[in-house]
Amino acid sequence: MELVLEVEDEAAVMEAARRRIAEDEELGTLERERTEEAVTEDTAEALAYLTDPLVLVSEVPGVELQQASWSSEHIEYDPDSPYWELDEDDVGGDDEEGDGGGGLNRRERPGFPG
């Protein structure tokens, strides 16, 4: 699974992460300071702190989260670019396998993540 998100309000994401950190009673002082610094410097870190992969898939039937990891980078996403296209499954509307597959895929090109 791969997600592409557009953050429309970086300040709001960072503030929400700082609020959650302030409310987290399990964080020690040093860990709290380091986490606050990370979410203040990088919107992707703030988003990662706010997002729980288990919550994202916990109610999906037949799915059990085995492992989750984060990697992020800032990219200029252009939906009109020839480097982004719909999967074949998206064009017809139905997914033969019934697994909800399909979505946007990046074409391989130098310097493009993935």
Side-chain angles (χ1 to χ4, degrees):
M1 171 186 287
E2 187 170 315
L3 301 173
V4 175
L5 303 174
E6 178 180 356
V7 176
E8 295 180 350
D9 188 346
E10 289 185 22
V13 173
M14 290 179 180
E15 181 58 32
R18 286 192 297 265
R19 264 195 318 272
R20 176 139 339 142
I21 292 166
E23 296 168 357
D24 191 341
E25 296 174 0
E26 294 182 21
L27 285 177
T29 303
L30 183 58
E31 185 179 8
R32 182 180 313 275
E33 290 172 1
R34 288 180 179 166
T35 305
E36 282 181 359
E37 183 178 332
V39 303
T40 301
E41 291 177 0
D42 186 359
T43 309
E45 287 290 335
L47 185 60
Y49 189 81
L50 292 168
T51 308
D52 183 350
L54 182 59
V55 172
L56 290 174
V57 298
S58 65
E59 294 186 25
V60 177
V63 174
E64 182 179 338
L65 182 65
Q66 296 295 313
Q67 179 180 348
S69 63
W70 283 100
S71 68
S72 63
E73 64 184 273
H74 297 275
I75 62 169
E76 293 297 322
Y77 173 67
D78 178 4
D80 297 324
S81 169
Y83 296 104
W84 293 82
E85 64 181 12
L86 291 176
D87 282 349
E88 296 166 359
D89 294 335
D90 291 332
V91 177
D94 284 332
D95 182 356
E96 285 182 16
E97 295 171 80
D99 63 1
L104 288 176
N105 278 334
R106 291 181 297 244
R107 291 185 187 171
E108 294 296 324
R109 72 176 176 114
F112 220 97

